[in-house]
Amino acid sequence: MALSAITVGIMPDVIGTDGTSLRRCVLAVSVIDDIDLTPGDDGVFVPDADGVLITWSMIRQVIGGQAPEGATARHRVATLLQLHRVAVDLGADAPATFRDALRLIALPPGHVDHLGPDWAVQTLPGGALELGYGVYGLLDEPDRCVPLAPSLAEQVGVTGLQTWASLREYTERMGALAAARLSRDGRQGVIRPVGGCDVLALLTSRTLRRHLAEGDGVGMRAVASPTRRRAWYDLRHMDPGFVQAAWHLTDEPDRGLEIPLLVTADEVAVPKQHRRGRHASR
């Protein structure tokens, strides 16, 4: 599947409404992240033999409701452009490579990596986490999973009900593996990533949730995940201020939730007293 000369659904009013801000955002990303690109009237061209166009509507989609010149917008646009650069460099191998790297991402609404309602495929029961496509190991950090924008996911052919079902099945298996490891050495009370799935993604596994919820014999367990790389479930031996401190000290893309989650076999929820003003990423 060739990725050259791509144009997708240009939004006619983008340039007329906030085009200057979008251009500034893209140029800032180009300079800060050293990405070779050329802004044009219809979008951003990624250098290639035929010229690959990322339309302004695709850029606007990942920015969502964020200010185009803000740090969150720049972060999301940088990820989008970097993944497009990878796809361009891979050429005809892009679909297979992206499919092999495909992973489920679970994020709280408002997280810096959450690309909005078009990205979210499902909401996990309990409402604390929304699920969407991501790719693992394609950018500079080999252990990092980044969100895959819907426009690029469609271009490289990794969308569809069958693909999503396979992704959920893979994550379920990784969650079962995590549960087996906890049964073996669970006294540490720490959940770690498995198979390219971070700890929030692992919580989408019913097997892992059931293991955690039934561990105390009450059918529910408080799980603290201030970072996507670690979660703690033996909170009786943890300083209450640790979770918030760890959240604040973690880089925004790696943040989980500032408060512990309530996990049952069926859902992952934010405690009721925090639902109105729950925190994901600031």
Side-chain angles (χ1 to χ4, degrees), residues 137-150:
L138 291 187
L139 299 185
D140 292 338
E141 298 180 63
D143 294 330
R144 179 158 172 69
C145 193
V146 298
L148 182 61

Side-chain angles (χ1 to χ4, degrees), residues 105 114 116-123 130-133 160-161 164 168:
I105 292 184
H114 191 301
D118 291 336
W119 171 81
V121 179
Q122 285 183 300
T123 298
E130 294 184 342
L131 321 181
Y133 289 103
L161 294 176
W164 184 250
R168 290 300 308 266

Side-chain angles (χ1 to χ4, degrees), residues 108 126 128-129 200 203 220-227 230-236 238-247 256-264 267-275 278-280:
L129 299 172
L200 294 184
L203 288 177
M220 179 180 292
R221 180 70 70 94
V223 176
S225 181
T227 166
R230 292 288 185 276
W232 291 264
Y233 58 89
D234 189 5
L235 303 188
R236 292 168 297 183
M238 183 178 292
D239 185 333
F242 169 79
V243 177
Q244 289 187 335
W247 185 86
L257 287 96
E258 188 179 6
I259 56 175
L261 295 164
L262 296 180
V263 176
T264 70
E267 64 179 35
V268 177
V270 175
K272 289 183 178 179
Q273 64 268 31
H274 294 283
R275 285 181 183 173
R278 65 183 179 184
H279 302 290

Side-chain angles (χ1 to χ4, degrees), residues 13-141:
D13 63 339
V14 166
I15 294 301
T17 55
D18 57 1
T20 300
S21 295
L22 289 179
R23 286 175 180 270
R24 287 175 177 169
C25 174
V26 166
L27 289 172
V29 169
S30 176
V31 172
I32 295 171
D33 294 274
D34 193 24
I35 302 174
D36 190 13
L37 51 84
T38 305
D41 290 340
D42 295 330
V44 177
F45 288 91
V46 178
D48 181 59
D50 299 306
V52 172
L53 176 66
I54 306 169
T55 66
W56 292 116
S57 61
M58 294 161 68
I59 293 170
R60 189 18 126 183
Q61 183 184 51
V62 301
I63 292 176
Q66 300 294 320
E69 296 184 64
T72 295
R74 290 196 300 272
H75 170 78
R76 294 177 182 178
V77 170
T79 301
L80 174 70
L81 298 179
Q82 288 166 350
L83 287 177
H84 267 279
R85 179 73 266 174
V86 170
V88 167
D89 292 341
L90 288 168
D93 293 329
T97 301
F98 273 74
R99 188 171 295 277
D100 288 344
L102 204 61
R103 295 291 188 277
L104 181 148
I105 292 184
L107 296 171
H111 192 280
V112 67
D113 269 349
H114 191 301
L115 302 184
D118 291 336
W119 171 81
V121 179
Q122 285 183 300
T123 298
L124 193 68
L129 299 172
E130 294 184 342
L131 321 181
Y133 289 103
V135 285
Y136 177 73
L138 291 187
L139 299 185
D140 292 338
E141 298 180 63

